[in-house]
Amino acid sequence: MWQALDIETWIAGRRSDLDRVKGPVSEIIGRVREEGDAALIDLTKRFDGIDLEEIAVPDEEREAAYDQVDAQLVASLVEAEERISRFHELQRGRDLWLQEMEPGITLGVKTTPLSRIGAYVPGGRAAYPSTALMCTVPAKVAGVAEICCCTPPPTSPITLVALDIAGVDEIYRVGGAQAIAAMALGTESIPRVEKIVGPGNVYVTAAKMLLRDEAEIDFPAGPSEIAILADGTANPTFVAADVLAQAEHDPNAACVLVTTDAALAEAVGAEVKRMAAGAARRDIVAKALDNSGYIVAGDLDEAVATVDGIAPEHLSIQVADPLAVINHIRSAGSIFVGPYAAVACGDYASGTNHVLPTAGYARLYSGLDVNHFCRRSTVQMITREGLEAIGDVVETIADAEGLHAHAESVRVRRRG
Ligand code: NAD
């Protein structure tokens, strides 16, 4: 239940789950590598309890899915897709930019979308049409030619509709580590991809980590987390509501309140207890709350340092002067500022991406955006005048490195 936390122990606990499943996940990957589709069928029977007749979802099933989804939900998904597209369009750089650095030397960057990517949309405990949009819309905006998606069976019509709205090319009903292995290695039904993105449980996340040599991966995006940085001005009911919203995701989800005000920690605890008792997913919430609690910091600086140590997936800032704090935060996947910025807004519809690094990986990685789906090539155009300007420097350093052919490749041009 909601408790005072020792932060070092808490951080260590967030990663240990991944190490625990690496053995079984390696076995799953080995089977997909050797047996292809046959392994997918067998593992789906074992882990999802489903006899897979078709791995790929046919177009007719996608179209029929609209009949099974409430019209208002379809309209909401369309609006969410538009908002996500609009924000991600802002991240798109120019396809090619060139800048004359000095006479005769022009440098720039050419951006090229990846050709084929794979998105994993989780589906074990709940349908995640929002994640379907978050994983695929940035790829579409980036200009990726082929977007494929794996999601565990039974495939929810809501997820199919969301993937269709996003314009995904192929949908496969495979989940877990076997889905990641299929996209990274390729099987008879699922052609391999260049990059895999998307969140999932510990099996999915471990598979992504183990297959990094086969396909590029985004980052570990496992069970959800929130850190709330709050002072005595925060509204305990709003804070508790964000805690509950995170806790209902997964038994391994975790929520931490870092506050300068012990009375707030107590008030939030009482609200969390009250809300948890009435929660629709109270079993999941209860387990997640076992991983959750509060830390009382001596002052705001100490609180900020604690949050930085956590490097949370989501950070909610509920203090009197949030802009004074935000510049001091160095590691957080996505930051929500002020009492009305419910994390759920970013989860669904404000337009920012909810696929974010978890388990402290926000220290190393940034959340999903358009840049994840592009590669960049530097470009240089050098005239004879430009070569004269840098020729001596190039020749001198090349000769010093003993790479005389490098130096000669410049000399021959300057002589000619
Ligand atoms: P999931 O799709 O990630 O996993 C379901 C699959 O797990 C199954 O298809 C099965 O193949 C595999 N599996 C289950 N038990 C197994 C076992 N014992 N051994 C091997 N494989 C097994 O769905 P989920 O389990 O509901 O988890 C979704 C996760 O995604 C949650 O933790 C949620 O918090 C997280 N999530 C994160 C974000 C984010 O942006 N970080 C967004 C949405 C969801």
Side-chain angles (χ1 to χ4, degrees), residues 71 82 160 174 195 223 277 296 300 305:
E82 284 164 4
L160 291 185
V174 187
K195 177 158 187 167
V296 179
L300 211 47

Side-chain angles (χ1 to χ4, degrees), residues 145-274:
E146 291 178 24
I147 303 174
C148 90
C149 171
C150 280
T151 187
T155 324
S156 147
I158 307 173
T159 302
L160 291 185
V161 167
L163 290 169
D164 193 66
I165 290 169
V168 168
D169 300 285
E170 303 150 35
I171 306 171
Y172 301 101
R173 30 181 148 244
V174 187
Q178 57 274 25
I180 304 301
M183 291 192 283
L185 304 169
T187 70
E188 300 90 316
S189 300
I190 308 180
R192 68 188 296 176
V193 301
E194 291 172 327
K195 177 158 187 167
I196 299 171
V197 303
N201 61 17
V202 282
Y203 303 101
V204 170
T205 307
K208 282 165 64 181
M209 304 301 280
L210 290 169
L211 284 159
R212 271 185 296 193
D213 288 342
E214 308 287 347
E216 201 188 324
I217 66 149
D218 47 359
F219 41 76
S224 301
E225 307 151 357
I226 186 172
I228 299 150
L229 173 61
D231 63 13
T233 65
N235 179 323
T237 304
F238 292 0
V239 172
D242 273 352
V243 167
L244 262 282
Q246 212 57 225
E248 74 173 351
H249 265 295
D250 187 296
N252 292 313
C255 317
V256 184
L257 168 66
V258 182
T259 181
T260 49
D261 188 306
L264 179 81
E266 207 168 301
V268 169
E271 281 294 86
V272 165
K273 200 169 166 195
R274 181 181 68 75

